[in-house]
Amino acid sequence: MTNPFEDADGTYLALINDEGQYSLWPGFAEIPAGWSVAHAEDTRQACLDHINENWTDMRPKSLIDATS
Amino acid sequence: MTPKSQLEDVLPLAPLQQGLFFHALLDAEADVYTAQLVLDLEGPLDAGALKASAATLLRRHANLRAGFRQRKEGTPVQVVHREVKLPWEELDLSGGGDVEEILERERTTPFDMARPPLLRFVLIRTGEQRHKLVFTNHHILLDGWSTPVLTTELFALYLNRGSDAGLPRVTPYKNYLVWLTRQDRDAAQDAWRTALSGVDEPTLIAPGAGEATGGPERIRIELSAAVTSALTAQARAHGATLSTALQLAWGLVLGRLTGRDDVVFGGVVSGRPPELPGVEQMIGLFINTLPVRVRLRPADTVGQTLNRLQADQADLMSHHHVGMAEIQRLAGVGNLFDTITVLENYPFDPDAASTDLGGVRVTGGGGHDATHYPLALAAVPGETLSLRLDYRPDLFTADEAAMLAERLRRALELIATEPGTLLGRAGLLDDDERRTVVESFNDTSTDRIGPQTITERFAAQVASTPDAVAIRAEGISISYAELEARANRLAHRLIALGVGMETPVAMLLRRSPEVIVASLGILKAGGYYVPIHHSYPPERMAWVMAETGAPVLLTDTTMLDHAFEHGAQVLMVDGPCAGPATDPGLAVHPDQLAYEIFTSGSTGVPKGVGTSHRAVVGFATDTTVLVGSERVLMAAPHAFDASTYEMWTPLLSGGTVVVAPPGDLDADVLVRLVAAEKVTGAFLTTMLFNLIAARTPEAFRGMRALHTGGEAGSSRTMLAVADACPDTLVLHVYGPTETTTYVTSLPVRDQLTESGRAAPIGRPLDDTRAYVLDGNLLPVATGVAGELYIAGAGLARGYLNRRALTAERFVACPFGAPGERMYRTGDLVRWDSGGILEYLDRADFQVKVRGFRIELGEIETALTRHEDVAHAAVIAREDRPGDRRLVGYVVGADLDPAELRRYLGESLPEYMVPAVLVVLDGLPMNASGKLDRRALPAPDFAAAAVGRDPRGPEENALADLFAQVLGLERVGADDGFFDLGGDSILAIQLVTRARQAGLDISPRDVFTHQTVEALVAAVTAPEEARAEVGFETLLPIHPLGDRAPLFFFPPAVGLSWGYFIFPPLMGADQPIYGLQVPGYREGEAMAASIDELATSYIEHLKKVQPQGPYHLAGWSLGGEIAFEVACRLQAEGDEVGLLALIDSYHGQDLTMPESEILPDLLMGLGLDPDLLRGMEPDPEQAARTVLRILRERGDGLAAMDESTAIAAYQNYRNARTLAMGYRPGRYRGDMVFFTALGGRTPESATPQGNWGPHLDGRIEEYQIDAPHHQLMSPESAAEIAGVLTGALDKLR
């Protein structure tokens, strides 16, 4: 069975949480609590591109806040 | 006048008839295809009229008079007899008696397929005006649809007192058979081929289940009237039939049960072609079982799927007449399914016939019908849809079946009430099942308190126990205070060099206390450490430096010869380090990184996993991990995350790190260190664990905790260690680097039961949760395979600088706190019912080979970077059990595997360079144009070993060990260990085995000398061992392993060398010894009798194994010796387990031609008998030729002086005398016997004839397609080894 994160033909979302962390997410699945849509339903690659462009600092936001 | 022929007609079989006939032939005793109809009759019954009616039925319907046979060439036919006697029995049980017993008897008495009729009636009187009519028939005659037609006709005949005057003419079944022959076969084949295209594996819920041994059990459920009508309405609304809705529901259940999104099962169709006149009123077998394929796309709604499924079915409607066997051939994946569904929408209700039968009423009916499938679902439509699930009780418990039935109910309810639901969100678990796997199995939360950074925890430890020993290394102790001071000094240096918060600092160090000082110093400076493994080639080291941008590299003087490009400042940690010893006093946040460890990456470059202080503290202070943290062994490379356990678990809890010497470790060094330093806790890779466990499982006895893991470990070995070390907590651990060292553990002693499978990986650690999810991210039930996701304490930050990759693998978690992430491991696992995880496989192309985690894609990318390589594929093969190795396949012009391996070695660490590269003309593709990994050929390892033959006993022994360790058939004396795919871990195995064989070599020797020749020259074997090797009475062929040993007795030549072929075939933990005759060593006389040999052999085998049961085997004369030893052991009160004779017969005329002696002799010496092809039959001449061959080959025997060499021939001749003087006694027990088929004549002895009279037991015979003297060839030996292993397994 194809892993839901590895379906080249599937549609995906890019999700983001309060720590500024991103998650690829299959379009069919319910969005878990604490996550919001950063990039609406699109191809897998487009979602990954969005994440690559926008996730500039991989440190969790609470760490950035505590140490800046 | 000639009598009328008994034969009325000979007809072909309908497709399902063929299937049932085949099934009946296959298993005549347990043929489950017996159907039974029971009618309750009330009123004044005229039994005579009923019997006459039944007879008329038989007369009217030719197909009820059919018997089934095969033509000579194999085609099945049905032979219709003109007249058959009606099987009719009347019983009176009105005075008491068990009706059920009669029903059972009727059901279980098999029909003889060739003798019609395949039906019988019993009329049972059960009381005053009460009867039961029991009609039992073979399913091949009638289908369920025919039953009501038949009963209606029976009752009509009864009303007519058995006469069919006035009844409509019968439409014969033959019409249907004729119709069948007129169908367009090609069109039907095309339709089925299309319908099943892309199905590349069968859907089996009980693979390898074997034939059913009895009838099925049954569970019934009923849908409410409301749900039934909603279901019917929804089906109609989506243009589908009730049958299709049922199939979708079953498809969903199967998909969730198998973890698949494309499933196939059998669907029963009525098979009555509407265009055939009178088809509705015909009786016979029309139904057919055909594949139903359901594709479950998570993004489609239930309704859409129903609609699509109906369309698929419509395309196949006119092709229902094709037989299943033919369809399976078209699909090409073997048995497509093992579950079936049927909707029993019979044309009319049997009860409708129960009007007036001349005062008799049909008050009830029952039936029995069964299939051989593990699961069969039948639905009977009505106001309330009733369902019955037949299951094989040998495969499912009643509870499991009930659970499945409930899931089916939920699937049907979903279709009925929520057709808009996306399939990907359609979970079938009930609340309890879901709670169990999501919550109960993950009830791990703790309220551990204290600082969440390594630095603060360590500082607290220094404050409370400054004088405690923090590090032991090479006899020296370093206290907490001293470690603190040294780390502080380094931290100040690093800060001065610009290291600050989250600055990466690279480390290239040999194993030493400095590794700990450096790691701690880096953390104190606010940075994180990036360990570089010293085995990395320079290119990879340079890549890591560039990737991390580490401004500082910490190294030591032993690493100076590793030159690689980087722009970092180099700091030698083994030099003097001045600076303040005070803590730099930097605040470190728990979410700051502590280290970055690189693992193999599928896209061609490694990926760096960044792990936080919080994750390390969480892991290191886990209650289970903490056991035995007083003195923990540091033996893993720093660049592997086992080092997290080895350093931080002791140091954050006041314990001591016991640093093992640098370099690769062998078992002996470890065992000594554990004892000398009183180590209390250690992590050992599966390989090291197995090595030590095989010899000295008690070596761990003083330890409190021993962790092992990394690759599938043997439960037997783990249990053996747990048994040998009763006070040690033996833990099987699992965890990817991304989740910090380990995330699950299994206490072996309490929770592991011995099984042939790999040991389970246990339960999640403190504050860690494991989710087993299907392709829809829905939790799967216990027992169902799914992918493992990990959430909780140990999660890494991600792959540094790899944002998209991080977002693909560290994903939103639907089960934990809002905003939480979970890590997708890519490991296939399942829960057992008690919440223990079992590891099954990888879901992708990551493999573990010898404990190293490897992305095959990374190697493939590296291969295709070579200009001559057009295509490449790499897989991990396990052609020998327990021996997993990388094999690369390359396509391209003029490829030189050796050159390619060197090329790979420039960019990949040595453990990622495939042991063998195979050059192919093209990569095998499957039907859909993808690489077919399963079709990649097993490599010819032997082709790489082309060096000269070893000479002398040491070279031979060492070459054998080389070959064993490398998994090669032969290794030349001048072949390099590492050129043949050896690596440092294999080198340690080699050293360990060599020492057992008396060759005292060290891992360093292997690295320095590399070839058998050089190694033997470098080490001096003890004098006495040299004289012994090869000719000792007890030959330790493979003295390792924890099973009971197998003893082989010598064939006529008297040596057991030929049995050296067995160790690789029988697994590393099967000890094997060979016994040999005296007479090869100087001054020894040849044996006088088999009796004398047996006496001596029993003494020897008792030295190895003091008590039975003994396992004995022998080829040729060795079989007779084995037999004698077995009898003697029994006579002395010992138990014999296995007695296996390999083509041995006693009392044979042994005056065989000399030309046959010589091949035998050569095979006995482990040589190729074909060397003698075309040789002259003169014995003297032949003997000289044998000697010449031995000399030329430089074989072990060539090292002997001539008189000893001749001894081989003399021993061989002597053996014939021994054999002729042997009179076998009597053995109590079974015997395994291998018969060589080659060269047998009708006069040849048979095992039963030869040994039967000397045996109180059975002879289990296996035939090997080879001549007697070829039985130790690799092919034959593999077959023999398989049987022996199986037999030994059974005895355990």
Side-chain angles (χ1 to χ4, degrees):
Chain A
M1 143 168 311
T2 320
N3 181 280
F5 294 96
E6 303 288 350
D7 181 3
D9 307 324
T11 59
Y12 286 87
L13 309 167
L15 303 182
I16 187 165
N17 66 8
D18 289 347
E19 292 284 8
Q21 293 165 321
Y22 283 80
S23 168
L24 184 69
W25 195 251
F28 67 82
E30 247 171 288
I31 298 173
W35 293 83
S36 53
V37 177
H39 185 84
E41 225 164 299
D42 206 334
T43 62
R44 189 174 187 275
Q45 194 52 51
C47 291
L48 292 177
D49 289 346
H50 173 91
I51 292 167
N52 261 332
E53 283 156 29
N54 291 275
W55 197 0
T56 47
D57 188 344
M58 287 183 70
R59 290 178 299 165
K61 189 163 177 298
S62 56
L63 174 65
I64 301 174
D65 292 347
T67 54
S68 57
Chain B
M1 191 178 130
T2 35
K4 220 168 158 189
S5 160
Q6 249 300 102
L7 284 192
E8 180 177 306
D9 216 342
V10 177
L11 297 168
L13 268 59
L16 188 62
Q17 281 188 312
Q18 290 181 17
L20 295 183
F21 182 54
F22 170 74
H23 203 85
L25 288 185
L26 200 71
D27 202 353
E29 289 308 305
D31 189 357
V32 294
Y33 286 98
T34 303
Q36 191 172 61
L37 177 73
V38 183
L39 296 170
D40 293 319
L41 307 171
E42 247 182 77
L45 184 76
D46 180 346
L50 193 57
K51 181 179 178 186
S53 307
T56 310
L57 266 186
L58 268 188
R59 183 169 53 73
R60 277 167 60 84
H61 297 278
N63 55 322
L64 296 184
R65 284 178 266 121
F68 295 80
R69 293 174 180 279
Q70 268 176 303
R71 284 190 203 276
K72 274 220 183 69
E73 88 287 4
T75 330
V77 287
Q78 40 191 324
V79 179
V80 177
H81 290 224
R82 204 170 295 284
E83 260 174 52
V84 294
K85 192 170 177 303
L86 173 73
W88 179 275
E89 187 181 2
E90 288 181 32
L91 293 170
D92 190 345
L93 298 182
S94 57
D98 192 349
V99 175
E100 269 311 314
E101 209 172 277
I102 303 297
L103 300 187
E104 166 86 18
R105 182 200 75 190
E106 286 295 289
R107 281 198 300 269
T108 50
T109 310
F111 290 101
D112 180 344
M113 300 303 285
R115 299 179 61 180
L118 305 184
L119 53 78
R120 52 187 169 247
F121 291 87
V122 181
L123 182 65
I124 309 172
R125 183 162 180 266
T126 55
E128 191 60 34
Q129 302 212 339
R130 280 173 189 278
H131 290 84
K132 271 185 196 293
L133 178 64
V134 184
F135 172 57
T136 310
N137 66 285
H138 196 282
H139 206 331
I140 201 165
L141 296 186
L142 293 168
D143 57 23
W145 273 262
S146 301
T147 314
V149 184
L150 190 89
T151 44
T152 307
E153 189 173 318
L154 181 70
F155 293 144
L157 290 167
Y158 175 76
L159 288 174
N160 242 352
R161 303 195 55 76
S163 156
D164 64 347
L167 253 62
R169 277 185 54 138
V170 167
T171 314
Y173 185 63
K174 185 178 181 177
N175 290 9
Y176 164 68
L177 296 175
V178 169
W179 174 89
L180 272 178
T181 61
R182 290 200 304 259
Q183 300 313 301
D184 183 343
R185 236 181 109 124
D186 292 345
Q189 289 191 347
D190 282 347
W192 282 108
R193 206 178 281 120
T194 309
L196 296 171
S197 89
V199 171
D200 50 12
E201 56 178 333
T203 305
L204 301 179
I205 52 157
E211 288 295 307
T213 48
E217 303 277 328
R218 177 167 290 183
I219 276 192
R220 293 173 191 276
I221 56 169
E222 191 132 351
L223 294 191
S224 69
V227 173
T228 304
S229 71
L231 185 66
T232 316
Q234 282 303 342
R236 199 176 304 127
H238 290 89
T241 62
L242 184 60
S243 170
T244 307
L246 183 73
Q247 290 173 343
L248 173 56
W250 188 245
L252 259 175
V253 170
L254 264 191
R256 299 297 191 256
L257 189 63
T258 56
R260 306 252 304 271
D261 54 7
D262 188 354
V263 295
V264 182
F265 52 92
V268 178
V269 295
S270 88
R272 296 184 181 233
E275 65 268 32
L276 193 63
V279 74
E280 300 252 299
Q281 295 303 313
M282 286 165 72
I283 67 167
L285 185 71
F286 298 87
I287 59 162
N288 199 0
T289 302
L290 293 167
V292 179
R293 178 188 193 181
V294 179
R295 270 165 290 193
L296 303 163
R297 299 179 187 148
D300 286 355
T301 65
V302 170
Q304 286 166 336
T305 313
L306 186 57
N307 191 268
R308 188 162 41 79
L309 189 56
Q310 184 67 41
D312 291 350
Q313 303 284 359
D315 291 343
L316 294 168
M317 201 64 108
S318 49
H319 308 296
H320 281 179
H321 54 86
V322 184
M324 203 44 227
E326 191 175 345
I327 293 175
Q328 308 217 111
R329 269 197 304 277
L330 294 172
V333 294
N335 262 343
L336 271 169
F337 51 81
D338 64 358
T339 68
I340 61 162
T341 62
V342 56
L343 184 72
E344 296 183 339
N345 52 347
Y346 298 151
F348 36 77
D349 182 357
D351 293 345
S354 68
T355 43
D356 178 30
L357 293 178
V360 177
R361 286 179 307 122
V362 181
T363 57
H368 192 277
D369 199 355
T371 71
H372 71 279
Y373 293 98
L375 285 178
L377 170 68
V380 182
E383 201 173 310
T384 61
L385 181 68
S386 72
L387 302 148
R388 36 171 233 267
L389 187 63
D390 283 0
Y391 62 95
R392 271 176 53 180
D394 55 328
L395 301 174
F396 297 92
T397 65
D399 283 349
E400 285 166 345
M403 212 135 64
L404 283 177
E406 281 313 307
R407 280 184 214 150
L408 175 71
R409 182 203 296 280
R410 281 190 290 283
L412 287 164
E413 284 170 355
L414 185 77
I415 299 169
T417 58
E418 297 170 68
T421 306
L422 294 181
L423 279 189
R425 298 186 185 185
L428 294 184
L429 300 192
D430 70 19
D431 291 347
D432 275 351
E433 287 176 294
R434 190 186 149 91
R435 223 180 349 261
T436 301
V437 293
V438 172
E439 292 168 26
S440 311
F441 288 172
N442 283 313
D443 185 13
T444 58
S445 77
T446 66
D447 45 7
R448 286 178 286 175
I449 46 163
Q452 293 299 303
T453 61
I454 299 172
T455 38
E456 270 179 277
R457 283 255 173 188
F458 182 75
Q461 208 48 249
V462 173
S464 69
T465 59
D467 300 325
V469 178
I471 302 175
R472 283 281 299 167
E474 289 164 351
I476 293 166
S477 300
I478 299 172
S479 70
Y480 271 75
E482 193 183 342
L483 171 58
E484 163 82 356
R486 287 170 66 176
N488 285 343
R489 277 197 284 271
L490 179 64
H492 286 290
R493 285 281 305 271
L494 290 170
I495 293 167
L497 290 172
V499 172
M501 192 166 71
E502 293 218 333
T503 306
V505 178
M507 294 172 65
L508 174 61
L509 296 175
R510 62 174 197 150
R511 193 183 303 110
S512 64
E514 279 69 35
V515 171
I516 303 166
V517 174
S519 305
L520 188 59
I522 292 166
L523 298 181
K524 281 170 169 281
Y528 61 90
Y529 54 90
V530 184
I532 296 175
H533 195 262
H534 61 81
S535 81
Y536 284 6
E539 192 181 302
R540 198 176 176 96
M541 291 190 182
W543 182 89
V544 168
M545 293 304 290
E547 170 76 7
T548 59
V552 179
L553 168 68
L554 297 183
T555 184
D556 61 38
T557 43
T558 66
M559 294 289 166
L560 283 177
D561 52 346
H562 288 277
F564 59 101
E565 254 177 70
H566 63 87
Q569 310 170 73
V570 176
L571 200 57
M572 306 299 289
V573 297
D574 47 358
C577 184
T582 51
D583 191 297
L586 292 176
V588 176
H589 190 279
D591 291 325
Q592 255 175 262
L593 294 178
Y595 59 77
E596 179 178 11
I597 282 182
F598 281 87
T599 74
S600 176
S602 60
T603 52
V605 287
K607 52 198 185 201
V609 179
T611 302
S612 68
H613 281 254
R614 190 193 300 279
V616 172
V617 171
F619 165 72
T621 62
D622 174 88
T623 40
T624 310
V625 173
L626 267 178
V627 175
S629 62
E630 294 85 354
R631 281 174 303 282
V632 174
L633 179 70
M634 181 165 166
H638 191 217
F640 292 172
D641 72 345
S643 62
T644 309
Y645 163 69
E646 297 176 335
M647 291 196 296
W648 302 124
T649 301
L651 291 182
L652 301 191
S653 65
T656 305
V657 184
V658 177
V659 183
D664 290 313
L665 298 168
D666 65 59
D668 288 345
V669 170
L670 277 185
V671 167
R672 278 200 299 274
L673 192 63
V674 162
E677 293 288 335
K678 298 190 172 56
V679 166
T680 55
F683 168 84
L684 292 183
T685 59
T686 308
M687 203 275 312
L688 262 180
F689 181 87
N690 288 350
L691 258 184
I692 300 179
R695 294 191 305 154
T696 48
E698 69 285 355
F700 309 117
R701 200 168 275 171
M703 295 173 62
R704 289 191 57 211
L706 174 62
H707 306 176
T708 183
E711 53 198 308
S714 133
S715 51
R716 193 185 309 125
T717 309
M718 291 184 203
L719 280 170
V721 171
D723 281 349
C725 311
D727 300 321
T728 309
L729 172 68
V730 181
L731 279 186
H732 184 215
V733 295
Y734 158 88
T737 305
E738 286 84 343
T739 55
T740 313
T741 314
Y742 355 124
V743 286
T744 69
S745 71
L746 180 86
V748 166
R749 184 171 301 106
D750 305 331
Q751 295 181 358
L752 187 61
T753 48
E754 197 165 312
S755 72
R757 290 200 301 260
I761 57 174
R763 304 172 192 279
L765 297 186
D766 289 351
D767 300 305
T768 303
R769 283 160 285 126
Y771 302 110
V772 185
L773 308 182
D774 67 11
N776 308 297
L777 296 177
L778 297 170
V780 299
T782 55
V784 177
E787 212 173 310
L788 177 63
Y789 292 71
I790 300 288
L795 239 61
R797 179 184 291 176
Y799 303 112
L800 301 186
N801 299 330
R802 309 282 290 278
R803 303 170 190 83
L805 186 62
T806 303
E808 285 175 39
R809 303 300 301 215
F810 294 82
V811 299
C813 175
F815 312 103
E820 199 179 340
R821 297 188 302 169
M822 59 185 183
Y823 171 67
R824 169 160 73 94
T825 66
D827 286 326
L828 284 181
V829 300
R830 68 176 164 226
W831 290 112
D832 79 1
S833 56
I836 288 178
L837 288 164
E838 252 184 276
Y839 181 92
L840 302 171
D841 202 357
R842 277 299 296 180
D844 54 21
F845 301 123
Q846 188 193 98
V847 297
K848 273 212 165 170
V849 174
R850 307 188 201 298
F852 294 98
R853 174 175 148 181
I854 295 165
E855 289 285 356
L856 298 174
E858 184 172 0
I859 308 172
E860 289 169 0
T861 309
L863 275 170
T864 46
R865 269 201 295 260
H866 190 281
E867 54 184 1
D868 293 335
V869 175
H871 304 286
V874 179
I875 57 173
R877 298 192 74 99
E878 196 168 333
D879 294 317
R880 292 192 310 169
D883 180 32
R884 222 158 198 245
R885 42 174 57 223
L886 291 173
V887 179
Y889 297 86
V890 284
V891 179
D894 301 327
L895 291 175
D896 173 8
E899 194 269 319
L900 263 181
R901 291 188 73 243
R902 272 192 297 280
Y903 172 80
L904 283 182
E906 287 167 18
S907 61
L908 298 178
E910 141 261 302
Y911 58 81
M912 289 180 71
V913 178
V916 172
L917 288 173
V918 180
V919 181
L920 297 177
D921 292 335
L923 295 177
M925 301 289 169
N926 63 20
S928 45
K930 288 186 191 151
L931 172 67
D932 186 353
R933 287 176 189 271
R934 278 176 294 190
L936 290 167
D940 184 7
F941 287 112
V946 292
R948 72 154 174 88
D949 287 326
R951 291 189 200 107
E954 291 90 8
E955 280 197 7
N956 269 297
L958 192 58
D960 278 348
L961 292 174
F962 264 55
Q964 277 178 34
V965 167
L966 294 167
L968 301 180
E969 223 158 82
R970 106 172 247 294
V971 169
D974 48 359
D975 289 325
F977 184 75
F978 298 96
D979 295 332
L980 296 180
D983 56 31
S984 56
I985 294 187
L986 286 175
I988 293 163
Q989 281 190 24
L990 177 73
V991 168
T992 309
R993 293 190 194 190
R995 284 187 185 163
Q996 276 172 324
L999 293 165
D1000 193 17
I1001 58 174
S1002 68
R1004 175 161 293 279
D1005 290 332
V1006 181
F1007 286 102
T1008 321
H1009 302 297
Q1010 303 216 0
T1011 67
V1012 168
E1013 182 177 38
L1015 275 165
V1016 168
V1019 299
T1020 312
E1023 203 56 41
E1024 69 278 16
R1026 182 180 290 180
E1028 276 281 311
V1029 168
F1031 303 106
E1032 56 269 58
T1033 307
L1034 182 74
L1035 182 70
I1037 292 176
H1038 179 81
L1040 301 176
D1042 53 1
R1043 296 180 147 223
L1046 175 59
F1047 296 95
F1048 277 105
F1049 297 89
V1053 69
L1055 295 176
S1056 276
W1057 296 13
Y1059 302 128
F1060 268 105
I1061 191 143
F1062 284 109
L1065 298 170
M1066 297 191 65
D1069 61 350
Q1070 176 61 60
I1072 297 176
Y1073 293 86
L1075 290 136
Q1076 312 196 98
V1077 295
Y1080 273 93
R1081 287 175 297 190
E1082 246 184 274
E1084 281 180 338
M1086 288 191 290
S1089 66
I1090 285 187
D1091 238 35
E1092 181 192 304
L1093 278 177
T1095 308
S1096 147
Y1097 288 164
I1098 287 174
E1099 259 174 51
H1100 276 91
L1101 53 97
K1102 291 216 161 185
K1103 278 185 209 154
V1104 178
Q1105 186 192 349
Q1107 279 177 334
Y1110 293 96
H1111 305 309
L1112 316 170
W1115 167 41
S1116 200
L1117 179 68
E1120 292 163 72
I1121 305 175
F1123 188 87
E1124 179 57 24
V1125 168
C1127 294
R1128 296 273 287 272
L1129 283 169
Q1130 283 189 337
E1132 290 166 23
D1134 279 303
E1135 206 185 320
V1136 175
L1138 171 73
L1139 173 61
L1141 270 56
I1142 306 171
D1143 212 37
S1144 311
Y1145 305 93
H1146 67 86
Q1148 295 297 289
D1149 177 10
L1150 289 172
T1151 50
M1152 60 163 116
E1154 295 285 341
S1155 63
E1156 275 177 38
I1157 295 177
L1158 289 165
D1160 242 26
L1161 171 58
L1162 285 185
M1163 278 301 277
L1165 295 172
L1167 301 180
D1168 182 356
D1170 285 346
L1171 287 170
L1172 284 172
R1173 195 179 293 133
M1175 204 149 100
E1176 63 283 346
D1178 167 29
E1180 288 300 309
Q1181 184 71 21
R1184 280 196 296 276
T1185 312
V1186 169
L1187 292 176
R1188 183 173 52 77
I1189 289 170
L1190 291 174
R1191 290 272 163 70
E1192 281 170 9
R1193 287 173 58 96
D1195 213 288
L1197 288 170
M1200 305 183 291
D1201 57 43
E1202 187 158 328
S1203 64
T1204 321
I1206 288 166
Y1209 198 73
Q1210 285 172 336
N1211 266 293
Y1212 192 87
R1213 293 193 134 175
N1214 181 52
R1216 300 165 68 205
T1217 319
L1218 299 183
M1220 281 187 280
Y1222 179 53
R1223 300 283 172 273
R1226 199 165 182 79
Y1227 175 71
R1228 300 184 309 277
D1230 297 340
M1231 171 192 286
V1232 171
F1233 196 95
F1234 299 92
T1235 308
L1237 292 181
R1240 282 187 74 81
T1241 63
E1243 289 77 43
S1244 296
T1246 64
Q1248 190 59 47
N1250 193 257
W1251 292 106
H1254 300 276
L1255 201 67
D1256 294 328
R1258 278 180 331 108
I1259 297 180
E1260 212 173 291
E1261 187 189 353
Y1262 297 88
Q1263 301 189 329
I1264 308 288
D1265 194 9
H1268 176 83
H1269 67 265
Q1270 288 278 16
L1271 285 174
M1272 293 301 129
S1273 69
E1275 300 77 28
S1276 306
E1279 281 182 57
I1280 293 171
V1283 172
L1284 291 178
T1285 306
L1288 289 171
D1289 279 345
K1290 241 186 280 170
L1291 287 168
R1292 299 186 77 243

